[in-house]
Amino acid sequence: MRDLDSFCEGLPSAASKVRWVECKSAMSPSRLPGLDLTLNPYQGCAHDCTYCYAPYLMRRERERWSEVSAKADLPRLLRAEASKRRGVIGLSTATDPYQPIEAGLRLTRRCLEELVRAQARVSVLTKSDLVVRDADLLMKLPKAEVGITITTSRDDLARIFEPGAPPPSRRLRALRELNEAGLDTYVFIGPIIPYVTDAGMDELMAAIVGSGCRRAMTDRLRLRPGMLARMTSRPGAEALGDDFAPLCSSEQYLAAMERMVSDRCAAHGLRVQNAF
Ligand code: SF4
């Protein structure tokens, strides 16, 4: 096992908590639509989005979700597995493959090198503009697609609920750069949050269309125990008003918001698909 200290210099403080873990296999079967296999280089996520439900699915302690573990053996295991297993590989589904530690660690990049070697089908989903660094490898993959998650065009609102992630302005710039590089992209608008996603919708649509992206996927807010309390206790959330919490709890309102976002995307010429 390697010492991570050298990787952590100059990275956000959460990175200093990264640990190595060993894994038995590189990929797992996926139950997500459009994906056959999942590949998660990390456990936990320093983006620390308040609405993240991955820790609930992974049965991880929510309070420790931002403590990141890196899968040490992944590139080696992937070399053996990638050429034997067929289908679209989701990179990644239970963490962000381009969270801050990846800038120094390059674990996701090393996995991509193996996937290029195997000429695998890959679908990336991230909230980070760091993905642009790997455009060279992604371009060498057959039919690779890259999704960028955006919940709002407003950097100030995103900071409330996605404290560790790059601001949407950087993600939208990344979307443009990926398209300019010739990659197939889509924007993942989700979770759709009352007073957050609908704020700056015109700017969001203009930026997506202006980036060259032609596809959108939408997803509604999916509350889990303790999640709403975590969201409303974030600094800045109080400015969203007293009806923010009730609206986040209303399935009817959330469904209406998702329809509204889908309609806006379609009106701007985007091909829209609901995530689940
Ligand atoms: S980027 Fe994704 S995996 Fe990471 S905390 Fe946010 S929602 Fe969870």
Side-chain angles (χ1 to χ4, degrees):
M1 293 290 164
R2 297 169 65 185
D3 181 353
L4 269 182
D5 285 350
S6 60
F7 289 119
C8 296
E9 282 172 25
L11 294 174
S13 57
S16 64
K17 295 180 181 171
V18 173
R19 297 182 307 264
W20 290 108
V21 288
E22 291 184 72
C23 51
K24 292 195 174 87
S25 66
M27 296 184 285
S28 305
S30 168
R31 289 192 207 136
L32 295 169
L35 301 178
D36 301 294
L37 296 160
T38 66
L39 176 64
N40 288 288
Y42 300 102
Q43 292 174 347
C45 185
H47 287 166
D48 204 20
C49 308
T50 48
Y51 51 72
C52 181
Y53 55 82
Y56 299 87
L57 300 178
M58 305 304 291
R59 298 201 175 99
R60 288 271 303 257
E61 203 183 322
R62 180 59 187 87
E63 298 305 326
R64 302 183 66 183
W65 182 242
S66 60
E67 297 175 19
V68 177
S69 303
K71 296 182 181 175
D73 286 341
L74 206 54
R76 183 179 64 80
L77 291 169
L78 198 53
R79 178 168 294 201
E81 281 179 39
S83 55
K84 293 184 196 143
R85 302 180 80 166
R86 291 277 161 249
V88 180
I89 300 166
L91 176 69
S92 45
T93 56
T95 181
D96 196 306
Y98 289 100
Q99 55 182 296
I101 188 63
E102 170 61 21
L105 200 56
R106 294 177 162 244
L107 182 57
T108 295
R109 184 170 176 87
R110 283 189 287 141
C111 288
L112 280 176
E113 286 167 353
E114 298 303 332
L115 296 171
V116 168
R117 192 190 305 270
Q119 285 295 284
R121 290 280 312 278
V122 177
S123 175
V124 175
L125 182 60
T126 181
K127 274 194 181 84
S128 176
D129 54 342
L130 181 57
V131 63
V132 175
R133 178 200 67 186
D134 291 347
D136 60 332
L137 293 176
L138 292 162
M139 284 297 291
K140 292 178 184 166
L141 289 164
K143 297 185 191 168
E145 67 170 10
V146 183
I148 299 280
T149 303
I150 296 181
T151 53
T152 175
S153 64
R154 295 257 308 261
D155 288 359
D156 57 337
L157 295 177
R159 199 174 304 122
I160 300 173
F161 301 113
E162 302 161 355
S169 53
R170 273 172 49 192
R171 294 179 226 168
L172 286 163
R173 199 180 317 136
L175 194 63
R176 176 187 288 273
E177 288 170 359
L178 292 167
N179 280 304
E180 286 171 354
L183 282 156
D184 178 24
T185 68
Y186 70 96
V187 62
F188 187 100
I189 306 176
I192 295 166
I193 305 172
Y195 297 144
V196 174
T197 305
D198 40 348
M201 271 300 279
D202 289 340
E203 292 80 0
L204 181 59
M205 290 297 126
I208 293 169
V209 172
S211 75
C213 178
R214 294 292 173 260
R215 276 194 298 143
M217 205 176 274
T218 61
D219 190 24
R220 66 179 68 177
L221 183 62
R222 297 170 193 276
L223 291 180
R224 296 289 193 278
M227 195 184 280
L228 190 55
R230 188 182 313 277
M231 291 175 73
T232 52
S233 63
R234 282 283 305 158
E238 68 286 349
L240 297 171
D242 292 340
D243 52 353
F244 174 68
L247 291 180
C248 286
S249 308
S250 165
E251 280 301 316
Q252 205 178 1
Y253 190 81
L254 296 177
M257 276 200 79
E258 189 170 22
R259 279 196 300 276
M260 180 276 290
V261 172
S262 294
D263 289 348
R264 292 290 292 275
C265 288
H268 282 81
L270 297 171
R271 191 149 47 88
V272 198
Q273 189 186 341
N274 291 344
F276 303 106

